[in-house]
Amino acid sequence: MSIYLDASMLVALLQEENGSKAAVELVEAADRILIVSEFARGEVASAMSRLVRMKQIVKEAALERLEA
């Protein structure tokens, strides 16, 4: 069985927020294959763009995190 990471989980891994600690702990403890859909990738890019527009993160940092 595998674990599907949705956009909210991925954003929590990329940007410090309330659920970030739990997200990191879950991924680090995972003993299964982690799956990310193409749709989730687009949602994450959209969420990171929103953070840039809201000036919660600078564009360069958002791009670096998305590339990682």
Side-chain angles (χ1 to χ4, degrees), residues 24-68:
V24 169
E25 289 173 357
L26 184 131
V27 169
E28 288 178 348
D31 59 350
R32 301 179 198 163
I33 296 171
L34 302 176
I35 298 173
V36 176
S37 73
E38 290 298 322
F39 183 72
R41 291 175 196 225
E43 288 182 304
V44 170
S46 176
M48 296 302 284
S49 294
R50 181 175 176 266
L51 292 172
V52 170
R53 289 191 308 275
M54 294 174 61
K55 300 188 186 318
Q56 293 183 0
I57 186 173
V58 295
K59 180 180 176 180
E60 293 75 19
L63 291 172
E64 286 176 13
R65 293 173 190 180
L66 288 172
E67 288 176 3

Side-chain angles (χ1 to χ4, degrees), residues 10-11 15 19 30 33:
L10 295 169
V11 171
Q15 175 67 18
I33 296 171

